[in-house]
Amino acid sequence: MPARIHAKTAVYKIEQNSDINVTPFVDVMLVLLIIFMVSIPVATKAVKLDMPPPSLEATGKTPTFISIEGPGELYISGQRTSLTTLDADLRMALQSDHPTEERVLVRGRADIQYDAFMDVLNELNAHGYTRIGLMNEDID
């Protein structure tokens, strides 16, 4: 004998909600964003960089090169010099009334130490040379 369903008992069907609740996801992402923004250090050092003018006019002057071949091995346009006599030798090589306003190009071998390179740049800066160009060579 089949079971009878009384009219007074109602059967309610509960449907599942398949929508994604994105509110907790957004909350977690905002907290992570704030954590990363606070934890990233702010770059406080700036290097002043003067770019050359866009004109390609030749000045007619032969550039003066300072070559760093190793620690204590310095050359100004092919003539050997030292760190202590760098200023006097550079003034003689530039042959200008205002040698500190002339452009000086510094190049170094790929295997020289960083401190040897920075010693030359610091020595030039200490004597007032501010128009310093850095050169590199392609390594094959």
Side-chain angles (χ1 to χ4, degrees):
M1 188 165 189
R4 292 187 174 179
I5 300 177
H6 297 289
K8 290 185 179 180
T9 58
V11 178
Y12 295 103
K13 186 177 180 184
I14 299 175
E15 295 182 15
Q16 290 184 347
N17 184 3
S18 61
D19 293 337
I20 298 174
N21 187 3
V22 295
T23 305
F25 177 71
V26 170
D27 291 344
V28 168
M29 293 306 290
L30 287 174
V31 168
L32 287 175
L33 178 67
I34 291 171
I35 289 171
F36 286 129
M37 287 174 57
V38 170
S39 65
I40 294 175
V42 179
T44 57
K45 287 197 167 203
V47 176
K48 186 176 184 294
L49 180 63
D50 292 329
M51 297 299 290
S55 67
L56 298 175
E57 298 175 0
T59 59
K61 287 187 170 184
T62 304
T64 304
F65 294 98
I66 298 176
S67 299
I68 308 169
E69 300 295 324
E73 289 186 60
L74 299 175
Y75 295 91
I76 297 177
S77 297
Q79 300 295 322
R80 187 167 174 100
T81 186
S82 67
L83 199 58
T84 56
T85 61
L86 181 65
D87 181 44
D89 292 340
L90 187 57
R91 288 177 186 273
M92 189 169 44
L94 289 172
Q95 297 176 354
S96 173
D97 294 336
H98 306 286
T100 56
E101 295 176 8
E102 296 291 327
R103 182 169 303 277
V104 177
L105 301 176
V106 179
R107 62 181 165 200
R109 291 176 33 136
D111 59 345
I112 63 166
Q113 296 293 322
Y114 179 74
D115 59 346
F117 189 80
M118 286 307 297
D119 287 343
V120 173
L121 292 181
N122 289 335
E123 187 69 22
L124 290 173
N125 195 14
H127 289 289
Y129 295 95
T130 56
R131 301 190 65 194
I132 301 170
L134 303 178
M135 296 183 62
N136 69 342
E137 296 178 5
D138 292 334
I139 300 173
D140 294 327

